[in-house]
Amino acid sequence: MNTENIKLFLSVVELGSFANAAKQFNIATSSVSRAINALEHEIGVQLFHRTTRKIALTQAGDKFHKNILPVQEAMDLTIAELVEDANLITGTLRIAASVSFGQAVLPKIVSAFTAVHSDLVIDLQLSDRRVDLIEEGIDVAIRHGKLEDSSLIARKLRNVRYHLVAAPEYLERAGIPKSISDLKAMDLMSFSYSSFARKWRFRQGNEMQEMSIMPKFLTSNAMMLKQCALNAMGIALLADWTLETELEKGNLVEVLPDWEVAGEDFETAIWIVYPSAQFVPSRTRAFVDFMVT
Amino acid sequence: MNTENIKLFLSVVELGSFANAAKQFNIATSSVSRAINALEHEIGVQLFHRTTRKIALTQAGDKFHKNILPVQEAMDLTIAELVEDANLITGTLRIAASVSFGQAVLPKIVSAFTAVHSDLVIDLQLSDRRVDLIEEGIDVAIRHGKLEDSSLIARKLRNVRYHLVAAPEYLERAGIPKSISDLKAMDLMSFSYSSFARKWRFRQGNEMQEMSIMPKFLTSNAMMLKQCALNAMGIALLADWTLETELEKGNLVEVLPDWEVAGEDFETAIWIVYPSAQFVPSRTRAFVDFMVT
DNA sequence: CTTACTATTGCATAATATGCAATTATGAAT
DNA sequence: ATTCATAATTGCATATTATGCAATAGTAAG
């Protein structure tokens, strides 16, 4: 069953002849004739009486017309609404992000974004596990570090640098490390992710060093890590975006500032990723564009 | 837009995978994949998130599903109702017949027919003009005499013989004609149709005679003609089906009973005709069958 | 009675759909 | 981690369907 045929049928009824309907649809009259014939055979009911000069609805055709017209209109309307919806920035934008990033960075961004798109509902899912966008119906996710291969489309938001930091109070107590090896004796805190938990890398110009670490404290949550550093528990490896105000205020102090430090890879970044699709919802596109700029 | 594609979409949603939907429809999975793709391109909206292993409705797809499901069901229902209707003997059966035949013969038949088919409404149009079945939406018509070529399908109900009859009172007054030529001097009454109005034909075995007549009274209505004969106005040419009881009761007497008489043609009959169509409504078929038997 | 128009149909060609097999990807099981 | 079974996609060859044109037949109006 073809809705084109039904539309053709409705047009024939409205215009009173196959020829007029053919003109309206810019097709040959023979196509109209065959379309109506096909319709009649599909449903097994004669819809028109015909002579070579005129047509007239049968009783069944008349009833069919009366009944199918609102249904066809409903179908058109449903599709039109859907298309309109797709081109509007409405509905619910589901964002997934790490707990830390969400708490630290997203509030400002999200509120600025919703101010522009008032019809949009934001559903922000904060979790430090790696979520499956497709399974959980997430539109966009913020990802850190290196991306695994996947069917997702990723755009880089910014590069990330890591720093070793500690509270002044701790450094007073434990001493300021002068070299990488000095760290061994100190209280180290890091992310529990495998790329951060057992080994750190250092770089100064062309010089590289690796150091196996025995952390005193591990967590998947950056804010937790920072809080521990602030509480003078030890030296923490933290991303730049978690630190800005704390370094300015002097609540935290950078340790070994001459060395770049990283977990596994120095080339880490924050990414915004979304499912690959032929038609990306406009809310997703809008949010991605907003984040990138 | 194809309702098959929509049904496939609904099946995919219900069964959770392209493969299952393909099984349900007994087609290749690739066809399902392409059908959904076609649907998405037609409406310009992504309906499913997909991986090679699983699919999930997008927000738009979910909304589409919610909205289109009742519409699709309504469409199926509309068509199912139509088909059911077509196979039921319901609706209105529009019958066209001559005034005389309708009055004299149809009442018994129609009441017997409606007794069997209680859901059927009968609309009996009595008219002595030749009606256009298609234009006037008539299901079946009763036709007399010779049929013209047309797109109608005709089935013979019975042969018709014509008789010359008069009231005994008239014959007492005017005398009983012994030969065809005797008629010339008498008061003749006939149908106003061209085949009856100017010439009558007579047959006895292999012998044939024609006679030009100058009727005293012409009408298109057989009952009228009979009434005039009963009123002893003269000799009338009447079809057998109008006469049965009158001859038995002796209200009318046959004139020249040894001769067969006709207007233009001896091979006349009563026909039931209906529009030619690939699908004859069952009410029409039922009535035609009823009339023939 | 002619004319112009309408629906239908045959036919050649264009467009589309379909299944199969190969490919790619992924979730689950080992 | 690695393997395995399975789902979706895609290329390709083939089958099916749709389309316009031209021819046909039939009808209503002038």
Side-chain angles (χ1 to χ4, degrees), chain A:
Chain A
M1 172 87 48
N2 198 310
T3 56
E4 282 310 305
N5 286 5
I6 292 175
K7 285 184 188 172
L8 221 44
F9 166 75
L10 294 174
S11 169
V12 169
V13 173
E14 193 191 343
L15 302 178
S17 84
F18 288 14
N20 288 343
K23 271 177 216 143
Q24 193 183 48
F25 282 75
N26 259 325
I27 57 175
T29 20
S30 53
S31 297
V32 179
S33 172
R34 277 184 285 232
I36 300 298
N37 241 288
L39 201 55
E40 288 175 330
H41 275 89
E42 274 179 77
I43 61 185
V45 175
Q46 190 87 12
L47 298 173
F48 292 104
H49 291 300
R50 311 144 155 88
T51 71
T52 53
R53 281 294 283 187
K54 62 162 70 164
I55 54 168
L57 278 172
T58 59
Q59 280 186 41
D62 189 51
K63 183 164 181 179
F64 184 60
H65 177 243
K66 278 191 183 61
N67 290 342
I68 207 74
L69 181 62
V71 175
Q72 180 60 42
E73 280 172 352
M75 186 160 282
D76 285 347
L77 194 68
T78 301
I79 291 167
E81 268 178 16
L82 190 70
V83 170
E84 191 183 356
D85 239 59
N87 296 325
L88 250 56
I89 296 168
T90 56
T92 300
L93 178 73
R94 285 168 67 89
I95 308 170
S98 67
V99 178
S100 316
F101 187 84
Q103 289 173 342
V105 178
L106 285 182
K108 290 166 273 178
I109 292 173
V110 165
S111 61
F113 187 68
T114 50
V116 179
H117 300 294
S118 52
D119 289 340
L120 194 63
V121 176
I122 303 284
D123 177 358
L124 180 58
Q125 301 279 330
L126 296 184
S127 163
D128 290 332
R129 69 191 164 76
R130 173 138 304 190
V131 297
D132 183 327
L133 299 212
I134 289 169
E135 192 161 351
E136 305 192 20
I138 307 279
D139 291 301
V140 291
I142 309 295
R143 293 269 162 95
H144 303 265
K146 259 192 127 56
L147 294 177
E148 60 193 12
D149 275 354
S150 85
S151 62
L152 303 177
I153 296 172
R155 291 180 66 181
K156 189 191 274 191
L157 289 179
R158 51 167 290 187
N159 289 319
V160 174
R161 290 218 168 175
Y162 288 87
H163 301 282
L164 291 180
V165 295
E169 185 190 340
Y170 173 77
L171 294 176
E172 275 172 34
R173 171 154 45 88
I176 297 175
K178 302 293 180 205
S179 69
I180 293 168
S181 55
D182 287 351
L183 293 173
K184 296 239 176 196
M186 307 188 76
D187 304 302
L188 304 183
M189 306 186 290
S190 182
F191 293 107
S192 52
Y193 303 119
S194 60
S195 52
F196 288 95
R198 298 280 153 219
K199 197 183 281 183
W200 290 347
R201 289 161 207 268
F202 296 85
R203 185 166 72 178
Q204 194 175 54
N206 290 330
E207 193 187 346
M208 290 249 210
Q209 287 194 34
E210 274 187 23
M211 186 179 93
S212 290
I213 57 167
M214 284 292 291
K216 177 184 177 182
F217 178 71
L218 290 173
T219 178
S220 65
N221 187 302
M223 287 305 122
M224 194 73 203
L225 210 52
K226 186 173 86 169
Q227 207 55 51
C228 291
L230 287 169
N231 289 349
M233 272 178 62
I235 296 172
L237 183 80
L238 279 167
D240 48 11
W241 56 266
T242 62
L243 294 173
E244 284 162 7
T245 57
E246 309 298 347
L247 291 176
E248 279 169 23
K249 289 182 195 161
N251 298 336
L252 290 173
V253 175
E254 188 165 3
V255 173
L256 296 175
D258 298 334
W259 290 88
E260 287 179 65
V261 62
E264 212 164 51
D265 197 324
F266 287 91
E267 305 300 321
T268 57
I270 301 178
W271 302 83
I272 185 164
V273 302
Y274 54 95
S276 159
Q278 315 201 45
F279 306 100
V280 177
S282 36
R283 61 179 180 278
T284 301
R285 186 165 301 287
F287 185 69
V288 170
D289 290 346
F290 185 85
M291 287 291 282
V292 169
T293 58

Side-chain angles (χ1 to χ4, degrees), chain B residues 103-119:
Chain B
Q103 290 174 342
V105 177
L106 285 182
K108 287 166 277 181
I109 293 174
V110 165
S111 61
F113 187 68
T114 51
V116 179
H117 301 293
S118 52
D119 288 340

Side-chain angles (χ1 to χ4, degrees), chain B residues 10-257:
Chain B
L10 294 174
S11 169
V12 169
V13 173
E14 192 191 344
L15 302 178
S17 83
F18 289 13
N20 288 344
K23 271 176 215 144
Q24 194 182 46
F25 282 75
N26 259 326
I27 57 175
T29 350
S30 53
S31 297
V32 178
S33 172
R34 277 185 285 233
I36 300 298
N37 241 287
L39 201 55
E40 288 175 329
H41 275 90
E42 275 179 78
I43 62 185
V45 174
Q46 190 86 14
L47 298 173
F48 291 105
H49 291 299
R50 309 146 157 88
T51 71
T52 52
R53 286 292 285 187
K54 62 162 70 164
I55 55 167
L57 278 172
T58 60
Q59 281 186 41
D62 189 52
K63 183 164 183 180
F64 185 60
H65 176 244
K66 278 190 181 63
N67 291 340
I68 208 75
L69 181 61
V71 175
Q72 180 61 41
E73 281 172 351
M75 185 159 281
D76 285 348
L77 195 68
T78 301
I79 290 167
E81 269 178 15
L82 190 70
V83 170
E84 192 184 354
D85 240 58
N87 296 326
L88 249 57
I89 296 168
T90 57
T92 301
L93 178 73
R94 285 168 66 88
I95 308 170
S98 67
V99 178
S100 316
F101 188 84
Q103 290 174 342
V105 177
L106 285 182
K108 287 166 277 181
I109 293 174
V110 165
S111 61
F113 187 68
T114 51
V116 179
H117 301 293
S118 52
D119 288 340
L120 194 63
V121 176
I122 303 283
D123 177 358
L124 180 59
Q125 303 279 329
L126 295 184
S127 163
D128 289 334
R129 70 190 164 78
R130 174 140 301 192
V131 298
D132 182 326
L133 299 212
I134 290 169
E135 193 161 351
E136 304 191 22
I138 307 281
D139 291 302
V140 292
I142 309 296
R143 292 269 161 95
H144 303 265
K146 258 193 124 58
L147 293 177
E148 59 191 10
D149 276 354
S150 84
S151 61
L152 304 176
I153 297 171
R155 291 180 67 180
K156 190 190 276 191
L157 290 178
R158 50 167 291 187
N159 289 319
V160 173
R161 291 220 167 174
Y162 288 87
H163 301 282
L164 291 180
V165 293
E169 184 188 342
Y170 173 77
L171 294 176
E172 274 173 35
R173 171 153 44 88
I176 295 173
K178 303 290 183 211
S179 69
I180 293 166
S181 53
D182 289 351
L183 293 173
K184 296 240 177 198
M186 307 189 77
D187 304 303
L188 304 182
M189 307 186 289
S190 182
F191 292 106
S192 53
Y193 302 120
S194 59
S195 52
F196 288 94
R198 299 277 153 221
K199 196 183 280 184
W200 290 347
R201 290 162 207 267
F202 296 85
R203 185 166 71 177
Q204 193 176 55
N206 291 329
E207 192 187 347
M208 289 249 209
Q209 287 195 35
E210 273 188 23
M211 186 181 91
S212 290
I213 57 169
M214 283 290 291
K216 178 185 177 182
F217 178 71
L218 289 173
T219 178
S220 66
N221 188 302
M223 288 304 122
M224 196 71 202
L225 208 55
K226 185 173 85 171
Q227 207 52 52
C228 292
L230 287 170
N231 289 349
M233 272 178 61
I235 296 171
L237 182 80
L238 279 167
D240 48 10
W241 55 266
T242 63
L243 294 172
E244 285 162 6
T245 57
E246 309 298 346
L247 291 175
E248 281 170 21
K249 290 183 194 160
N251 298 335
L252 290 174
V253 175
E254 188 165 3
V255 172
L256 297 176

